[in-house]
Amino acid sequence: MRAVCIARHQFLSDHIGAVFRDAGLDCEAVVGFHDGLAAARKLCPDVVICDYDLLATAPLDEWESDELLMSVPIIAVSLTRRPDEAHLLDRNGIAGFLYLPTLDGSTVARVVNAAAVTRGVRAPDGVLRWSEPRSDVARLD
């Protein structure tokens, strides 16, 4: 699974990338939201992992309106805030919150997999035939 790790400083970005690499992700660590957008457009990641403090101050308009990126889940990671300390208004567009000092591989895997499942899920052609009436459903006409 591929991830772009975005933070305010190179040291933090590299650290976040190392934590998620240890959990088995292929990570690209970048600094700043602008470089994060560029990296995500280039790499088409399954998930973006972003420093919460950067994410809370960055406008997500460009991200949310980009056809390629709008479906990429964003996971907020913080060194200073636990998930229950996140502001309610900050929850829009964020697929998960992780507190970096307490992360372990199983938590990372569970949150990243749950976030990535919501992106681009599509049944194979011919499996779901929505136009055909189902015989096991009562009709209302």
Side-chain angles (χ1 to χ4, degrees):
M1 190 172 298
R2 186 175 310 139
V4 171
C5 301
I6 309 169
R8 297 165 285 153
H9 308 289
Q10 189 66 55
F11 179 80
L12 183 55
S13 179
D14 289 342
H15 180 65
I16 292 170
V19 168
F20 283 83
R21 272 186 213 98
D22 288 347
L25 276 75
D26 177 19
C27 296
E28 176 78 21
V30 297
V31 176
F33 208 68
H34 178 73
D35 288 349
L37 283 167
R41 285 183 182 124
K42 181 177 130 189
L43 299 172
C44 298
D46 299 296
V47 66
V48 167
I49 300 148
C50 189
D51 171 20
Y52 174 83
D53 291 327
L54 177 63
L55 189 58
T57 61
L60 293 177
D61 298 340
E62 187 176 356
W63 194 279
E64 293 170 344
S65 63
D66 188 294
E67 289 291 323
L68 184 64
L69 302 178
M70 66 176 33
S71 65
V72 178
I74 300 172
I75 297 173
V77 178
S78 180
L79 280 169
T80 58
R81 289 185 203 232
R82 295 177 183 271
D84 59 341
E85 296 173 327
H87 296 288
L88 291 176
L89 293 177
D90 294 339
R91 294 180 190 256
N92 289 341
I94 299 174
F97 289 88
L98 295 172
Y99 183 53
L100 197 57
T102 61
L103 280 184
D104 59 41
S106 66
T107 301
V108 169
R110 188 173 65 247
V111 172
V112 169
N113 285 328
V117 164
T118 64
R119 181 177 188 231
V121 176
R122 182 175 178 272
D125 289 337
V127 172
L128 300 175
R129 299 172 191 236
W130 300 110
S131 60
E132 296 178 18
R134 290 179 45 193
S135 61
D136 62 329
V137 177
R139 294 182 54 130
L140 298 176
D141 48 318

